[in-house]
Amino acid sequence: MSVDEPQVHRRPPKSASALQATPSKEPALSSPTGPTRSDSRGVSALVRNSSKYAFGAIIFLSFLTRYWKIWDPAQVVFDEVHFGKFASYYLRRQYYFDVHPPLAKMMIALGGWLVGYDGHFLFEKIGMDY
């Protein structure tokens, strides 16, 4: 070892008996309703269950707000004029020119094809009845 090298002190290895888990001497956590069980991370079962219920409530509310009165209005709206027209072109296999990449319009056309849309409704102007 030279004078310039720092000295490294190493900790001696632990024995196998020291590596085994030892019971905790801390008092068990308790709630007003009684003791709670916790997993290895210390998260109680009550917190895990309430997280599941909160997640389910968020999913339910997201579906409710997304699909509430989805049929209203029964007329063509702004985006449908643009995307519906191009999806109809794809389903009728009719040529058109668009400067934008076609993936989104092809996916909309695929969705229309899967539900039985034949592409013959003309999305010409906003406010047309279906």
Side-chain angles (χ1 to χ4, degrees):
M1 199 183 241
S2 72
V3 178
D4 295 338
E5 291 181 24
Q7 292 182 355
V8 177
H9 298 284
R10 297 183 186 242
R11 186 182 313 177
K14 292 185 177 183
S15 64
S17 62
L19 294 176
Q20 294 176 353
T22 57
S24 174
K25 294 185 170 56
E26 297 177 15
L29 298 176
S30 62
S31 67
T33 59
T36 59
R37 297 187 66 181
S38 61
D39 62 5
S40 62
R41 295 171 299 187
V43 178
S44 71
L46 180 63
V47 171
R48 281 195 316 268
N49 288 338
S50 63
S51 296
K52 290 177 186 177
Y53 291 130
F55 180 72
I58 289 171
I59 295 296
F60 175 75
L61 289 173
S62 65
F63 274 95
L64 181 70
T65 58
R66 173 63 182 99
Y67 294 111
W68 183 265
K69 293 189 177 183
I70 195 166
W71 57 87
D72 188 40
Q75 293 89 19
V76 176
V77 294
F78 176 73
D79 286 344
E80 292 172 344
V81 172
H82 180 73
F83 288 102
K85 184 186 329 178
F86 288 122
S88 295
Y89 288 149
Y90 272 111
L91 291 172
R92 289 186 283 172
R93 291 172 172 66
Q94 185 176 356
Y95 175 77
Y96 71 93
F97 177 75
D98 187 17
V99 296
H100 300 291
L103 181 61
K105 296 171 189 96
M106 291 173 73
M107 290 171 58
I108 292 170
L110 174 66
W113 179 74
L114 289 174
V115 297
Y117 174 63
D118 61 0
H120 286 89
F121 180 79
L122 302 175
F123 291 87
E124 292 181 342
K125 61 181 180 176
I126 298 174
M128 289 178 58
D129 288 331
Y130 286 124

